[in-house]
Amino acid sequence: MRIAVGHLFPDYLNIYADRGNIAVLTRRAAWRGHELEVEAIGAGDELRPGAHDLYYIGGGQDREQELIAPALAALGEPLREAVSGGAALLAVCGGYQLLGRAYRDQSGDELPGVGLFPLHTVAGDRRMIGDVLLECELEPGERRTLAGFENHAGRTYLDDGAEPLGRVLAGFGNNGESGYEGCRAGRAIGTYLHGPLLPRNPWLADWLLAQALAQRTGEAPSFEPLADDLEAAAHEVSAGRARTRGGRY
Amino acid sequence: MGEQADTVPLMGFRAPLSAEIALARAAAGLSRLAGAGGGTTVPGKLLWKLDPGAVDRLAARLPLGAALVSATNGKTTTSAMAARILAPVARLAHNRSGANLVSGVASALLASRGAELGLFEVDEAALPEVARRLRPRAVCLGNLFRDQLDRYGELELVAARWRAAVEELPGETALIVNGDDPQVGDLAHGHAQATVFGLDDPRHASPTLQHAADSKWCVRCGTPYVYEAAYIGHLGDYRCPSCGHARPHLDVVARAVDLHGLEGISFELETPEGSSRVELSVPGLYNVYNALAAAALTRALGVPLETIVAGLQGFSAAFGRFERIALGDRTLLTLLIKNPAGANEVVRTLVAGDPPHVLLIALNDEIADGRDVSWIWDVDFEPLLGSLERLVATGERAAELALRFKYAGLPEDAIEVVPELDAALDRGLELTPAGAELVALPTYTAMLALRELVAGRGFVRPYWEEAAA
């Protein structure tokens, strides 16, 4: 089956090897007989709710985020509509921040957000840099870990009642204090974790693909497992790094 | 931080300084005896602890002053080329093994009694402090690419620090910048003694900007640049269609570049004093940039063109950057990889030659390598897949590297994960036919370990012995 992916601002937001995430989604879809079609969505482009099954938005440096924030905010309404209509989404780092309500930078200026995630972000003095390990439960009773790398000056605060992506086992997470990382809203996932995220956490790639297919067919398929020995080995090393050196300034 | 040394008379510190220097030099010997590697930064670190201002005063003793080289990519090679050019001209204090923080500069100063001229490659983040302390005669700035964001922070941050450092330079300091890099070329703006170098040969332009291009937006107004020619990443001939900010006039230029695979390159070197054909025995377009930087720097120090050309042509390789080592009946070719832009050029150079069938790639994640290994996903390794039959992935993050190639489309049975470096080297050599060459692409600490391993097998001298030679 064809899975339509809308990649938001790939020219601007690609700082932490975001194309690695796209490569993993593409290959793992193909190994299950599905074809990923990735369309770049940039400034001035139209975003039609229902046209895509999955959205992806990556991270950028401050300058790129400033350059792109107004154009992204302009796409806010159709993007929110697409996701509430059932499209899946993965937002990483800068993209995660910009999909919140607002981002306040160090000089106190506020960048407008998309308002897709119930959260806001405030720039702090010290960057939170290092390996991270999370425990997630995206499906009831299925606890899984996510290993990645974080590098952000922004402190992200979830609204009361908002659902985080996971609990921090090692690392800083959203703001270094709450003990939680990321945000989940239905089929939309926002996180600071790059590395890139999906190669060493293939279960999340499969979850996103299943959600994208569910948007299309009405039901999330259960995939046959793949030979993920290399992925498991990479996850193991990354998780070990988080345990021994994550969450330290 | 550098005020202390500027405000106290030099003479008053003579006696304690020499005592500290003797102690620090002794530490170098001890650290080598203790087997802690080359001891290249131990004496400098000790001196730095005892008296930070000592670096300033040691440098002030150099009769011909000091020249600094910084860049994300190519600073070690540029410095090594400049050292080769300057060898017949002056006795150098030079941190040739790449210890490029303040402590590394201090160590090089300590190790070179009787030096006349300082030639130091300097870490991008350390440049402001080193420049403040050394008050250099010349500063050569090559390029800024995304590199180890976990360590340096964002590119804009480094660029802002460079701008501040350049503004603080004395007016008589010669400033040499790469005009092909929008952020770096812009630093020449307003500096009295600026030389701009760059490349002019659209035959070698990439058809599109590479994925790893960074400074794609106008430094003045944020509009995407239009490139007449993009050579490496965002280096090239650019113009902003909105405000007109464009590549500055080039004073030192490379034209008519010919690439000869892995064997070398040649180009026409144009300077205001004249032109000459240069034949280099190191490969790749990136080495044209390194040679231009070295030529423009040494020219600013007063070296005549024929000496510059002779030096460049006599240059073979910088430490670990492009080294061929004979290992019995096979050779090991080592090319350092450390960030997307640099690794892309290594890949481009390998593919332009006789592309390897077996490849050893060593990925570590120590501080000097960058703890965040995500950069390997920004490298365009894909052109290697056409000929690659076997990848030996090694280093602390071998599995991550293996994934990079798996998701690029290399069949899993063509990938071997051998985390231990010595076992991986043996496996790579085993897969290499007698008389043939094994290509190894290590990150920085893996390169040091690989060199030590080969030295331990008696095939190459440890680098601290070479540095002393």
Side-chain angles (χ1 to χ4, degrees), chain B residues 315-362:
Chain B
F315 175 79
S316 54
F319 177 65
R321 266 65 186 176
F322 177 84
E323 275 193 310
R324 270 201 175 96
I325 299 167
L327 299 176
D329 57 359
R330 291 163 175 82
T331 49
L332 177 69
L333 174 64
T334 305
L335 296 113
L336 177 73
I337 55 169
K338 56 177 195 166
N339 54 36
N344 279 345
E345 291 316 301
V346 164
V347 169
R348 179 144 73 147
T349 303
L350 285 175
V351 172
D354 184 11
H357 303 291
V358 179
L359 201 51
L360 177 75
I361 307 188

Side-chain angles (χ1 to χ4, degrees), chain A residues 145-166:
Chain A
T145 51
L146 282 178
F149 199 93
E150 62 185 327
N151 184 348
H152 51 108
R155 269 71 172 159
T156 292
Y157 299 93
L158 303 193
D159 292 358
D160 284 346
E163 188 186 341
L165 168 62

Side-chain angles (χ1 to χ4, degrees), chain B residues 1-10 13 48 51-60 102 126-135 168:
Chain B
M1 282 190 341
E3 289 132 34
Q4 186 198 2
D6 295 337
T7 52
V8 296
L10 286 182
F13 279 79
W48 180 237
D51 175 7
V55 180
D56 316 25
R57 298 192 297 280
L58 275 173
V102 186
L127 181 74
E129 170 146 31
V130 174
R132 209 175 301 130
R133 291 188 175 280
L134 266 57
R135 303 183 63 80
E168 272 185 43

